[in-house]
Amino acid sequence: MKHGDTRGSREAAVDDIDRALLALLEADGRISYKEMSERIGLSSQAVSARVTHLVERGIAKVIGSIAPEVLGYDRFATIAVTVDGPIEDVAAALVADPATDLVAVTVGDIEVIAEVVCRGEAELLRALDRIRCVPHVVSCVAYSYLRIFKYAYAREGILSIAGTALPGSGTAAPFALDETDKKIVEMLRADGRATFTDLAAEAATTYATARRKYHRLVESGVVRIRTVFDPSRLGSEEVVVVFIDAVGDLTDIGEQLAELSEVTIVMTTMGPCDLIVEAVCADMTALADFLGTRLRAVPGIVSADAYPLLRVDKLAYTWAG
């Protein structure tokens, strides 16, 4: 998603042909343009142009999803940032930071919400220090993830990035990744439809080796090819992040929140709040009902501070469940 996109500029997201193409990509992210052409009834050139347009508009992206711990990432946190100057400048600085996977502008006493993924506590601390040093940042509060109850990776969520691996989960590759494997993985994370020729060139190896290594990575489950979506571009009108304080059994509360149809993310955190929830609602009426009735009906919730997302400036899709 490009920096500067706003909810106010949302266009009619997709037509029926686009939706058919998205469904095919969701089922098989590496389906060929020729096969899509045969199923949809358009030329391969037209299919290629439409898919490219969908990706360029940030509606969908095919990625190679890999468990974060396989690459050494084991610390995840949502960062709440308050600002005393131009939000645009702060958001742009956070977009440029390599540790951020998400940067979103919101409404309320928090101006920007970011997500960071790091290798260890020291790297997380350095990321927080960089954010604190951005001009006009007044405060930077970190909510480290403890347990994830629900983390949608596809159409349902906009913060759906980090997957469910957490410190101590023990996720690891079933075999050691060599340097060629790692280069192929990195390219697939950026483009799940990269050709074997592209993978071979990136990894400085032969076509046959790239093809063999790709199949081993996918068949072993190290890499999963996913098509991920931005719900704000597919007709979902209101995306909100809710910081919740609760009393009682957080496991029980988290499981109940995960059952709510609007909820796409639920996790317990270490920080000023007990849980963070993301929800996607059809419109303001549905959002008001969710926040005022359905959410507060869950036993144990003491307070719920909601932050509707005005704009998403960075959505890297690094992880996808």
Side-chain angles (χ1 to χ4, degrees):
M1 184 173 300
K2 297 179 180 178
H3 178 68
D5 286 352
T6 65
R7 287 173 51 181
S9 65
R10 287 176 184 170
E11 56 189 298
V14 294
D15 60 20
D16 289 342
I17 294 176
D18 288 331
R19 290 186 184 279
L21 292 172
L22 290 172
L24 291 175
L25 286 169
E26 188 173 17
D28 177 6
R30 289 181 67 86
I31 185 174
S32 70
Y33 291 134
K34 181 176 183 295
E35 186 172 350
M36 283 192 281
S37 169
E38 293 170 350
R39 295 195 185 187
I40 298 298
L42 291 179
S43 68
S44 294
Q45 184 177 6
V47 166
S48 174
R50 278 182 174 263
V51 171
T52 299
H53 192 47
L54 289 168
V55 171
E56 289 176 346
R57 290 161 61 195
I59 291 173
K61 185 176 183 179
V62 180
I63 63 165
S65 166
I66 181 169
E69 286 188 357
V70 171
L71 297 180
Y73 293 97
D74 59 1
R75 293 295 182 271
F76 314 100
T78 289
I79 313 299
V81 180
T82 59
V83 177
D84 70 354
I87 295 176
E88 297 288 333
D89 295 344
V90 173
L94 296 185
V95 166
D97 193 295
T100 62
D101 259 14
L102 168 93
V103 178
V105 177
T106 186
V107 179
D109 57 351
I110 297 172
E111 282 81 22
V112 182
I113 292 175
E115 180 180 73
V116 296
V117 294
C118 301
R119 295 182 174 96
E121 299 290 352
E123 187 173 305
L124 175 58
L125 179 59
R126 289 193 294 271
L128 294 174
D129 283 343
R130 289 195 302 271
I131 294 173
R132 291 188 184 98
C133 291
V134 172
H136 300 295
V137 168
V138 175
S139 68
C140 166
V141 181
Y143 302 80
S144 295
Y145 302 171
L146 293 176
R147 177 178 176 183
I148 295 173
F149 295 89
K150 187 176 185 179
Y151 221 131
Y153 74 86
R155 295 182 181 180
E156 295 84 0
I158 211 166
L159 300 182
S160 306
I161 298 166
T164 57
L166 289 174
S169 66
T171 303
F175 54 86
L177 302 182
D178 62 24
E179 290 305 311
T180 301
D181 290 321
K182 292 176 182 177
K183 289 178 181 179
I184 290 173
V185 165
E186 288 300 322
M187 190 167 193
L188 289 171
R189 285 174 60 197
D191 179 9
R193 292 181 61 81
T195 67
F196 295 131
T197 299
D198 293 334
L199 294 174
E202 179 68 18
T205 189
T206 65
Y207 178 97
T209 298
R211 186 176 186 278
R212 174 176 55 81
K213 284 183 171 290
Y214 165 84
H215 284 296
R216 184 174 72 151
L217 288 165
V218 172
E219 291 168 3
S220 68
V222 172
V223 173
R224 288 180 287 172
I225 303 301
R226 302 290 198 192
T227 302
V228 287
F229 305 85
D230 176 355
S232 70
R233 302 279 179 158
L234 284 169
S236 298
E237 295 298 327
E238 304 297 333
V239 182
V240 63
V241 177
V242 188
F243 294 81
I244 295 173
D245 286 327
V247 294
D249 187 337
L250 292 183
T251 297
D252 182 58
I253 295 170
E255 290 173 348
Q256 289 190 59
L257 288 170
E259 293 298 318
L260 297 179
S261 60
E262 301 90 344
V263 168
T264 54
I265 294 174
V266 183
M267 54 197 170
T268 52
T269 68
M270 180 169 56
C273 74
D274 297 307
L275 300 105
I276 293 178
V277 166
E278 178 208 75
V280 179
C281 300
D283 51 34
M284 287 299 294
T285 300
L287 176 60
D289 179 64
F290 170 73
L291 293 175
T293 304
R294 289 168 55 73
L295 183 68
R296 294 179 184 276
V298 175
I301 291 180
V302 175
S303 65
D305 296 322
Y307 297 91
L309 301 190
L310 290 180
R311 188 181 74 217
V312 177
D313 286 351
K314 184 176 184 179
L315 185 56
Y317 296 126
T318 302
W319 323 118

